[in-house]
Amino acid sequence: MLRQNLLDQLKHFIETVSNGHSNPQLLTNPSLIKLALGFLEELPATRDIVFEYFALLAEISVQLYVSPEMADPKTGMPVSQVKQAGNRQQQARAPDYESFNIVKTALQSLVWKGPPAWSPLIANWSLELVAKLSDKYTQRRMTITASCNYWLECSAMHGLMTLINSCFRKLTQPEEEACVEIMLNAFHRFPMTFDWIVARLGGCFPYKIIMQILQCGIKRFVDDYRCHLDSEAGILDYMTSCHEQHLRAAFREMLREGFAPKKSLDVAVVPFLLITTNYSDAILQSLVNVLVEIYSEDMSEVIVQKSPLWLSNKMFADMQPTLNNAVLRLNEHGATLLITAARLAEKFTWCQDFLDNSMQELEQWVLNQRNFPLLADLAYEETKYMLWKSCLSTNLFEQQTAVRLLLVVSSQHPHIYYQTISQLLRKSYAQNPNGIGALIRLLGGQSGMVNFPGFTPGFKMVLEDITLHVQVNSRLPVPPGTPTEAFNTFSNLNILAKMHKSKNVAPYIKAQQLNQALNECLPKIIQIFDCTVNKLVLKMDRDAAEHSAQKFKAQQSNNNNNNSNDMCNGKEYGKRPKLEAGESKVEDEDATRMRLAHLIVDLLNNIEAGSRTNVLRTPMVLKLAVLSVKYFFVGLTERTVIRRAAASHRSYNLLQRQCSARKIARTICLRELVEGALFYHGHLLGQLEEYELDELKIPEQELLILQNLHTSSGANSNRSVLHSGIIGRGLRPVLPSNERSCDAEKQALYLKALNACCADLEKPNNVEGYSLVSLLLVELVSTDVMYNGLPFPDEEFTKVTMERDMQIRRAFITSPVLWAVLGLIAAHRPALCYSSVLLRALCATCLHHWRGKNVNKYQPTSANDELMLCTKKMLQLLAMSQLIPPPLTNLHLIIDHFESAEIALLLRECIWNYLKDHVPSPALFHVDNNGLHWRNTNTPMARVPPQYVDTLRHLMQRKLSTLGHHYHQMFIMGELMAGQSEPDPTARLEIVELD
């Protein structure tokens, strides 16, 4: 009875389905659907009829989905949820539209709970049905993403795709192969409408699908190189979003076969892959990622060998412009690809063409302000560091390509431009001189760009970092001799500044911007100069103090004949142990600082810092002036003559430019030079070292000045210092006379520095600077503010100023360079007039000392005696400055032929009295046509009165046997030149006696 009932139901089912083509609502009846589902389990023979019925239900749902009556009247899009939205007619057709959901639910239950045989059966049926429906009802060509979005809104299509996905999860390995074959066959039959299905279902076994799609595409490509690969490329593009690793694995496998072809299809692998990249940026990016990953130096040779095979494809031979455009579409590794091509450009011409076309198109896009993915790649940190490294390459193609890419990204990201300038300035180009070309090209900016960023912030950035490095010593281990970043930076800035001055050497350099940038950075440069020079000065003073202490200890041991005082526990007292490794490290650091200081001064000279064209605030002017003088003294510590001369020449240019531009700079420079020579750095110019108070190691309570406070009268009430020594501690150490000489070379360099500060380029004969030096000497050497006028007082008045005069004389003994400075002043008349007080003190002390020597008549006077030398130098200064007239100007040549009493008499009667009656004043000099100051003593009006020369005349007459030649020159010839017709009788008598 049950069997008969099934047959009746089957008959009813067949009749209803046969008559339902004209009335679709009969087919979508839920009871009929349930009856069909029952046949699948109870009557397996009806399986084909039932699946055909299910296909009709799906088609009815798709028809309703694509029909205009089911579209939204406002948007024109299909109404997917007709129960919640839509008009009355749409809601009436809702059961028909949703009828396939019952089938989908039942079939999905069979897949998950039924026998395994259902999975491949339902999968194959669903694939065929989806393919037919998609091909039949696709009205226009759409992309894969748009097709997926469109068809998955349909209830029936979404249900079929869900069924296929569920079936794929239950398949075995052979069943999977069969389903993939069915899918690919359907793709071959419906390539334009089945691609979205393959892309959607490819996630179930992505690698297989990707490989099969690639194989299908390459076969079509070989058959017809002009074929369109939109479907294959669309599938791969869609799958890239979730399965990029599988796509890369497939590319890697195909490239392995393409680079080592064994089959005929393998030759077309590379052209096919490159053609495919034109359809999708995602495929292009994946392929480039694989190429970058597997690339090696050997691969370039393989590419060269196989390229003739690839060029046999006509389409591939003409696709180079397309490849150029492809670089701009890369989000990653685009810069790496271009740099790799640049490295090969020296060997292969096609790489040069590729680079030229790519870079031209890239720069054109930047000029047109178009956005492109490669900009994002260029802005990555990894890419930035790679391009910085390539800028230092010896390969010019690689270097210039990196620079052009950095300029491109800098147009959108100015901070990268500043960072790049900072990085390139820190590098050394000693081993690769062409590397500086990258920096020069970078400073030129992007041609054609109006608002391209300037390079001043880049200079400031690197100088700020260097300031921190200079102020804080680096604790990182550095190999000896390695140039520091500060050294490299200033070396490169010097090169740029020299190119700017030479002109026409580097056309890329924007001279005006470079000069402006360096001038804006001048305060920061001066700050670095300040840190560097001050550290060198501290080191110089420390070394001088240690050297002086050792000399005094040795001399004290010799004076006291007691060497045991200098020994403590078997070691030299006060001598600290030195570590050779640490000492060498410190010496390397000091040598590095010295080289850095030289470079900074070179840069300041190249940019003409301190000139009138530079606008500097007053604190900066003063600071630069002080540092220039400090650098001069530091330069005198160089170990070789050539280095000292070079350092001094640098400082001359710097000092002269500042002093010529601003009077305040001249004042500061001269004061610092004079003070440095007298008080701070006198050891460089032969100054005698004296014991410091603490070096005598006297307990504080035993200091004589404190003991004197307890007494208000007595023999020692006005004493504070015992010059001979300390009772119980021995004599004060005195350096031997052979160590009292002034280094002639350093003294000459010092005088040139003073001359550079005093010289006026616009007014060569201006003596204002030398007069200022003269006044500074009076201020610094004379310890009294009184009696510093120009006139010479009566001789008796010297008793009032004797203490001060002795201190001035002592200053000339301890600082021999004072004689040289006075000589420089004397050569520029009338500047020495302002140092009248110093000349007065020297003359007074010499006069009194020569009188004192007359007490012991048996004491011989040596030609090298300090008193004799002082007297000669003083007379020479007076003669050179024309403060004394002829014949007194030759007195310094013959003074050593007289006795002590005679010298004292000459100084009093001839020199002192003449200067007392003729005040050494600038008013005595007149200016000639050349602007020089002269004092004409040859005129009758200016003839020297006899009371000033008679003493000398009579003393020389007593010594005509030795001074006859000088007498004739000083008196006989002098009177003839003065215009006398004949000598006086006394002179004639003297000539006869001489004969």
Side-chain angles (χ1 to χ4, degrees):
M1 189 67 186
L2 181 60
R3 194 69 177 176
Q4 184 63 39
N5 189 18
L6 284 174
L7 293 175
D8 293 339
Q9 291 176 358
L10 179 59
K11 182 179 179 181
H12 172 68
F13 173 74
I14 293 173
E15 291 177 355
T16 304
V17 172
S18 300
N19 298 328
H21 290 284
S22 58
N23 188 6
Q25 294 181 355
L26 295 176
L27 299 177
T28 59
N29 191 341
S31 60
L32 187 64
I33 297 173
K34 293 179 181 179
L35 182 62
L37 291 172
F39 290 154
L40 289 177
E41 296 181 1
E42 297 177 1
L43 295 175
T46 62
R47 184 179 302 164
D48 295 338
I49 301 176
V50 172
F51 277 111
E52 289 181 6
Y53 168 64
F54 291 161
L56 290 175
L57 293 178
E59 189 171 0
I60 291 172
S61 179
V62 171
Q63 287 176 350
L64 290 174
Y65 178 74
V66 300
S67 63
E69 63 184 41
M70 298 298 290
D72 189 346
K74 296 181 180 179
T75 63
M77 299 297 293
V79 181
S80 57
Q81 302 292 334
V82 293
K83 293 182 179 180
Q84 288 78 13
N87 53 32
R88 185 175 299 175
Q89 181 181 3
Q90 292 173 346
Q91 293 180 1
R93 300 299 305 272
D96 300 337
Y97 178 72
E98 301 288 345
S99 59
F100 189 76
N101 288 339
I102 303 174
V103 178
K104 186 258 301 183
T105 304
L107 294 179
Q108 195 169 14
S109 179
L110 282 176
V111 171
W112 289 105
K113 299 179 181 180
W118 282 109
S119 297
L121 179 64
I122 296 175
N124 295 337
W125 170 77
S126 300
L127 284 172
E128 290 289 339
L129 182 58
V130 170
K132 292 178 181 179
L133 293 177
S134 176
D135 183 68
K136 183 176 180 180
Y137 293 100
T138 297
Q139 300 175 354
R140 66 182 184 276
R141 178 64 175 163
M142 292 184 291
T143 63
I144 291 181
T145 303
S147 298
C148 290
N149 294 334
Y150 178 79
W151 285 117
L152 292 179
E153 287 290 329
C154 177
S155 176
M157 298 294 275
H158 186 276
L160 289 171
M161 296 296 291
T162 304
L163 275 176
I164 297 172
N165 196 8
S166 300
C167 293
F168 283 169
R169 295 176 183 273
K170 305 291 287 185
L171 295 178
T172 61
Q173 185 70 21
E175 292 172 345
E176 283 184 4
E177 299 291 342
C179 288
V180 170
E181 189 67 26
I182 294 173
M183 194 185 319
L184 294 177
N185 292 334
F187 176 69
H188 287 302
R189 284 184 290 146
F190 313 108
M192 306 299 292
T193 57
F194 195 74
D195 51 0
W196 71 271
I197 302 170
V198 177
R200 186 71 181 179
L201 297 175
C204 298
F205 19 82
Y207 182 75
K208 293 180 180 179
I209 294 295
I210 291 173
M211 284 300 295
Q212 292 296 331
I213 293 298
L214 289 174
Q215 293 295 335
C216 294
I218 197 171
K219 290 178 181 178
R220 291 182 56 205
F221 179 73
V222 171
D223 295 337
D224 181 11
Y225 69 90
R226 297 188 180 277
C227 67
H228 294 282
L229 302 172
D230 300 87
S231 299
E232 290 82 352
I235 295 172
L236 297 176
D237 181 57
Y238 188 85
M239 297 186 66
T240 303
S241 58
C242 298
H243 307 286
E244 185 178 3
Q245 296 300 326
H246 296 90
L247 182 61
R248 290 188 185 183
F251 282 158
R252 196 177 297 110
E253 179 66 21
M254 293 197 70
L255 287 174
R256 184 182 62 82
E257 297 175 355
F259 289 143
K262 298 179 181 179
K263 300 177 294 184
S264 58
L265 288 179
D266 294 343
V267 177
V269 167
V270 174
F272 165 72
L273 292 179
L274 293 177
I275 292 295
T276 308
T277 58
N278 293 332
Y279 294 89
S280 169
D281 293 347
I283 297 176
L284 173 64
Q285 186 65 65
S286 298
L287 182 60
V288 170
N289 291 341
V290 173
L291 285 172
V292 171
E293 179 183 347
I294 67 175
Y295 177 78
S296 63
E297 295 295 334
D298 298 335
M299 185 177 293
S300 61
E301 301 296 333
V302 175
I303 294 174
V304 174
Q305 295 175 2
K306 305 300 180 183
S307 56
L309 297 176
W310 303 334
L311 291 174
S312 60
N313 188 293
K314 297 180 180 180
M315 188 172 185
F316 178 72
D318 299 332
M319 69 175 299
Q320 182 169 325
T322 309
L323 287 179
N324 299 335
N325 179 270
V327 180
L328 277 66
R329 295 155 45 203
L330 292 174
N331 285 310
E332 296 179 11
H333 300 305
T336 305
L337 184 63
L338 289 172
I339 293 298
T340 303
R343 291 169 183 165
L344 299 174
E346 286 185 341
K347 297 181 180 179
F348 310 114
T349 307
W350 63 269
C351 288
Q352 298 180 21
D353 298 337
F354 173 73
L355 279 177
D356 291 340
N357 294 331
S358 299
M359 295 307 301
Q360 288 177 9
E361 188 168 0
L362 177 61
E363 292 169 351
Q364 189 62 40
W365 280 37
V366 172
L367 292 177
N368 295 335
Q369 297 183 353
R370 296 175 60 184
N371 197 8
F372 47 92
L374 183 59
L375 273 180
D377 176 42
L378 295 175
Y380 289 152
E381 288 292 320
E382 296 81 1
T383 305
K384 184 172 61 177
Y385 283 102
M386 180 196 67
L387 293 178
W388 289 346
K389 184 178 180 180
S390 296
C391 287
L392 307 177
S393 173
T394 56
N395 187 331
L396 294 181
F397 288 101
E398 179 182 358
Q399 179 194 108
Q400 293 303 313
T401 301
V403 171
R404 294 173 73 178
L405 290 175
L406 287 168
L407 289 174
V408 166
V409 70
S410 297
S411 62
Q412 302 294 327
H413 304 280
H415 70 280
I416 296 180
Y417 185 61
Y418 307 144
Q419 292 174 355
T420 304
I421 293 175
S422 176
Q423 287 294 325
L424 294 185
L425 281 174
R426 301 165 190 259
K427 304 303 179 183
S428 174
Y429 302 104
Q431 303 299 328
N432 179 24
N434 292 330
I436 194 68
L439 179 60
I440 295 173
R441 177 66 182 86
L442 189 75
L443 295 179
Q446 183 68 43
S447 58
M449 291 288 294
V450 179
N451 297 322
F452 195 78
F455 43 77
T456 303
F459 285 1
K460 291 182 178 180
M461 183 183 298
V462 66
L463 291 176
E464 186 67 34
D465 293 342
I466 290 175
T467 304
L468 296 177
H469 293 165
V470 172
Q471 291 175 344
V472 181
N473 293 331
S474 177
R475 299 180 181 272
L476 298 177
V478 178
T482 303
T484 61
E485 291 185 350
F487 180 86
N488 294 336
T489 299
F490 281 99
S491 178
N492 295 330
L493 289 176
N494 268 309
I495 293 174
L496 296 176
K498 290 177 182 177
M499 289 183 176
H500 161 58
K501 291 178 64 175
S502 61
K503 298 179 181 179
N504 299 327
V505 175
Y508 287 107
I509 295 182
K510 300 177 180 178
Q512 185 176 1
Q513 290 189 15
L514 179 61
N515 191 30
Q516 180 181 358
L518 291 174
N519 287 327
E520 289 183 13
C521 296
L522 190 55
K524 188 61 64 178
I525 296 173
I526 294 176
Q527 183 178 358
I528 298 173
F529 189 36
D530 184 15
C531 298
T532 305
V533 171
N534 284 332
K535 288 184 179 181
L536 290 172
V537 170
L538 290 175
K539 188 260 181 185
M540 176 179 65
D541 294 342
R542 184 174 62 252
D543 292 346
E546 292 178 357
H547 181 66
S548 176
Q550 291 176 2
K551 288 198 300 184
F552 273 116
K553 288 170 186 175
Q555 187 63 30
Q556 187 176 25
S557 300
N558 295 333
N559 290 345
N560 296 331
N561 295 321
N562 186 9
N563 295 329
S564 60
N565 293 336
D566 291 336
M567 306 297 292
C568 180
N569 297 328
K571 297 182 179 179
E572 294 185 21
Y573 180 75
K575 188 173 182 180
R576 60 182 183 182
K578 296 183 179 180
L579 301 177
E580 295 182 358
E583 186 178 357
S584 62
K585 180 180 179 181
V586 172
E587 289 180 357
D588 290 340
E589 291 179 356
D590 294 334
T592 301
R593 288 196 190 99
M594 183 66 77
R595 292 195 299 270
L596 177 60
H598 295 334
L599 281 176
I600 296 176
V601 175
D602 284 337
L603 179 61
L604 294 174
N605 287 330
N606 287 328
I607 65 176
E608 298 183 352
S611 62
R612 289 188 176 91
T613 56
N614 291 124
V615 179
L616 286 176
R617 300 175 63 183
T618 302
M620 284 292 106
V621 173
L622 301 179
K623 191 173 185 179
L624 181 58
V626 173
L627 291 175
S628 301
V629 176
K630 287 183 178 180
Y631 169 75
F632 167 74
F633 285 111
V634 168
L636 294 181
T637 61
E638 286 282 12
R639 297 184 178 181
T640 63
V641 177
I642 296 177
R643 290 182 180 178
R644 287 194 293 269
S648 300
H649 183 71
R650 296 186 188 97
S651 61
Y652 299 157
N653 294 335
L654 189 59
L655 291 170
Q656 187 174 29
R657 184 170 53 253
Q658 296 177 78
C659 296
S660 300
R662 298 174 177 88
K663 289 186 177 181
I664 186 174
R666 170 179 290 172
T667 303
I668 294 298
C669 289
L670 289 175
R671 177 174 288 276
E672 290 294 323
L673 280 171
V674 177
E675 285 186 352
L678 296 181
F679 305 119
Y680 306 121
H681 314 297
H683 60 278
L684 298 173
L685 301 171
Q687 187 180 50
L688 297 184
E689 297 91 348
E690 294 185 351
Y691 245 134
E692 297 292 340
L693 194 60
D694 57 348
E695 290 180 351
L696 296 173
K697 300 180 177 59
I698 305 174
E700 185 177 357
Q701 68 274 9
E702 296 182 13
L703 289 177
L704 185 59
I705 190 172
L706 296 180
Q707 297 293 328
N708 290 340
L709 295 178
H710 300 290
T711 60
S712 59
S713 62
N716 295 328
S717 61
N718 60 345
R719 294 184 183 180
S720 61
V721 176
L722 290 176
H723 292 284
S724 298
I726 303 297
I727 297 175
R729 300 181 185 275
L731 297 174
R732 179 182 296 274
V734 180
L735 291 178
S737 59
N738 57 0
E739 296 189 12
R740 298 185 181 183
S741 62
C742 180
D743 190 342
E745 178 226 342
K746 293 182 180 178
Q747 177 178 294
L749 296 177
Y750 176 73
L751 295 181
K752 288 181 180 178
L754 286 175
N755 193 51
C757 294
C758 298
D760 193 339
L761 300 179
E762 297 180 356
K763 300 177 181 179
N765 298 324
N766 189 2
V767 295
E768 180 181 354
Y770 302 98
S771 302
L772 180 59
V773 175
S774 184
L775 294 172
L776 283 172
L777 289 177
V778 174
E779 176 185 348
L780 298 175
V781 178
S782 178
T783 59
D784 198 348
V785 296
M786 298 179 64
Y787 314 117
N788 288 335
L790 301 183
F792 273 56
D794 293 335
E795 183 189 353
E796 292 296 325
F797 190 78
T798 58
K799 298 178 181 179
V800 178
T801 60
M802 181 56 65
E803 184 177 0
R804 182 194 65 175
D805 293 344
M806 293 296 292
Q807 289 178 345
I808 293 175
R809 170 79 175 278
R810 185 175 180 82
F812 278 83
I813 295 173
T814 57
S815 299
V817 73
L818 278 174
W819 291 110
V821 176
L822 286 180
L824 176 66
I825 298 173
H828 296 81
R829 293 174 291 270
L832 190 63
C833 296
Y834 299 104
S835 295
S836 175
V837 63
L838 304 182
L839 299 175
R840 189 165 70 235
L842 292 172
C843 187
T845 54
C846 289
L847 177 60
H848 287 292
H849 283 174
W850 284 116
R851 283 176 178 170
K853 279 184 175 291
N854 191 35
V855 175
N856 187 0
K857 296 184 178 180
Y858 298 100
Q859 182 180 3
T861 301
S862 173
N864 293 326
D865 182 66
E866 188 274 330
L867 180 58
M868 178 61 73
L869 293 177
C870 179
T871 304
K872 285 184 176 181
K873 291 178 181 178
M874 179 196 66
L875 294 173
Q876 190 175 5
L877 287 174
L878 293 173
M880 187 185 305
S881 59
Q882 289 189 322
L883 294 182
I884 55 177
L888 299 181
T889 52
N890 291 348
L891 184 57
H892 66 280
L893 299 174
I894 61 174
I895 193 67
D896 52 351
H897 293 282
F898 297 102
E899 301 294 334
S900 301
E902 295 173 341
I903 296 176
L905 181 63
L906 289 173
L907 290 178
R908 185 189 66 185
E909 297 296 333
C910 298
I911 303 301
W912 186 273
N913 288 340
Y914 179 84
L915 292 175
K916 181 187 70 173
D917 298 337
H918 300 80
V919 179
S921 169
L924 300 176
F925 297 83
H926 70 278
V927 183
D928 62 6
N929 296 330
N930 296 323
L932 299 176
H933 293 75
W934 288 94
R935 185 179 179 185
N936 191 355
T937 57
N938 294 326
T939 62
M941 296 292 296
R943 185 177 181 183
V944 183
Q947 66 266 26
Y948 303 121
V949 296
D950 284 349
T951 303
L952 176 62
R953 184 194 300 270
H954 294 319
L955 290 177
M956 290 184 69
Q957 287 175 358
R958 297 177 184 177
K959 301 178 183 292
L960 286 179
S961 59
T962 56
L963 301 178
H965 174 71
H966 292 285
Y967 184 86
H968 180 268
Q969 183 179 5
M970 293 169 60
F971 290 98
I972 306 301
M973 296 300 298
E975 292 177 357
L976 291 175
M977 293 177 64
Q980 290 186 348
S981 58
E982 64 178 55
D984 57 11
T986 306
R988 188 181 301 275
L989 176 63
E990 292 165 356
I991 296 174
V992 171
E993 292 177 354
L994 182 61
D995 294 337

